[in-house]
Amino acid sequence: MLRTGPPGRATILAGLLAVSVACGYLDKVSSPNELAVVRFVVSPPVVDPGQSAVLTWKVDGADQVEIDPGVGAVAAAGSKTVTREATTRFELTARSGTDAVAASVELRVRGTLPSPSPAPSPSPSPSPSPSPSPSPNPSPTPSPSPTPDPSPDPSPTPSPSPSPTPTPAPACGAPAGPAGTCDVSIAKPNPLPEGECIEVIAVEVGQVCPASVGVPRSVRFVVSAQTSRTNLSWRRSSASSDVLSPSTGAVASQGTTEVQLQDTVLDSSVTFEIVDGSGLPLLALTLRNY
């Protein structure tokens, strides 16, 4: 659906769409013979320990599809219920002949960090063989010991000053990676005080990139915040021209907020801002359209 704007804007968008179709651009994006990860998401992206989540994927043009860790070989499209006790990043790898593509999503488990790879156990060192005891030598006749000089009193050793206890880092989670085939970048133009944080921990896009001008698509992202700033909200950056519905919404200062919207593509990228009650941008999420 095209929005009405200044005279001539609808005509320009219609022309752009016509050029895209005429050049085969839409056929190339949707061709089933092209190796591409169409969708790879986890829902919900944030769970409690022991709670299950569902991986969903769709791949075009692949001979083999694998998901690690712990899932293995799968069909080109499907879903899988997974349960993890620690935050886990799932990697999907699709192959067709000598070609391969990959995508990843992160399932965040509250109060945990990604599980580290186990380190190899060290090999035990062999015990040294005992040295033979030397044969006793006859004791020499002792010489008279000289009278020692009196030693000066030792200087008192100063007590070390206690190290300050470090402030624990806030637990907002790791920043989101690429949204399928769409590049994602996150910037923080105005840093928060020590002990506070705000982060976008998941991004999903309902259409593969590159996206065509004038095509609407669904966008979902999750904001995690631990801050004393109040009246947080999200909005489209004034430097972006995409049409959003809704165009703004509230964000919780403590905990996670899930944002779902419809984005009509009009530019090569779109930027969403998280701002405080005074309108000061705290985080900028940029999604590359094409």
Side-chain angles (χ1 to χ4, degrees):
M1 180 181 70
L2 297 179
R3 292 174 62 91
T4 359
R9 184 179 183 88
T11 304
I12 293 172
L13 292 176
L16 288 171
L17 289 170
V19 170
S20 298
V21 175
C23 294
Y25 187 80
L26 292 178
D27 290 339
K28 182 177 180 181
V29 170
S30 60
S31 171
N33 297 322
E34 181 180 356
L35 181 59
V37 179
V38 178
R39 179 175 174 84
F40 185 38
V41 297
V42 61
S43 180
V46 181
V47 298
D48 293 319
Q51 182 181 354
S52 297
V54 178
L55 293 171
T56 305
W57 67 90
K58 184 178 186 299
V59 180
D60 285 345
D63 299 330
Q64 292 179 306
V65 181
E66 294 182 356
I67 299 176
D68 292 313
V71 179
V74 295
S79 61
K80 174 75 174 179
T81 300
V82 294
T83 304
R84 293 293 183 270
E85 297 297 330
T87 297
T88 303
R89 180 169 289 276
F90 292 92
E91 302 283 345
L92 181 149
T93 305
R95 296 181 176 87
S96 176
T98 59
D99 295 333
V101 295
S104 66
V105 295
E106 184 175 78
L107 171 61
R108 191 166 75 88
V109 180
R110 292 186 178 92
T112 70
L113 297 174
S115 301
S117 301
S121 301
S123 301
S125 303
S127 302
S129 301
S131 302
S133 302
S135 300
N137 292 325
S139 301
T141 302
S143 301
S145 301
T147 302
D149 294 331
S151 302
D153 293 335
S155 301
T157 303
S159 300
S161 301
S163 301
T165 303
T167 302
C172 278
T181 56
C182 303
D183 289 337
V184 169
S185 62
I186 298 173
K188 296 171 184 176
N190 295 286
L192 291 171
E194 184 178 0
E196 299 185 6
C197 64
I198 185 168
E199 193 63 80
V200 173
I201 60 174
V203 181
E204 296 177 11
V205 180
Q207 187 185 45
V208 297
C209 291
S212 300
V213 174
V215 175
R217 61 178 180 176
S218 62
V219 176
R220 173 183 173 274
F221 59 89
V222 179
V223 181
S224 176
Q226 298 290 335
T227 177
S228 59
R229 302 292 179 94
T230 58
N231 299 323
L232 300 186
S233 62
W234 68 268
R235 68 186 184 189
R236 188 200 69 184
S237 167
S238 59
S240 300
S241 57
D242 283 17
V243 177
L244 308 182
S245 178
S247 59
T248 187
V251 174
S253 299
Q254 302 289 328
T256 58
T257 302
E258 181 176 328
V259 177
Q260 293 188 347
L261 57 97
Q262 194 83 359
D263 172 27
T264 300
V265 176
L266 298 179
D267 205 348
S268 60
S269 65
V270 58
T271 298
F272 307 93
E273 293 178 337
I274 309 299
V275 300
D276 63 11
S278 67
L280 181 69
L282 304 178
L283 182 145
L285 165 67
T286 299
L287 179 64
R288 176 67 60 180
N289 295 330
Y290 54 85

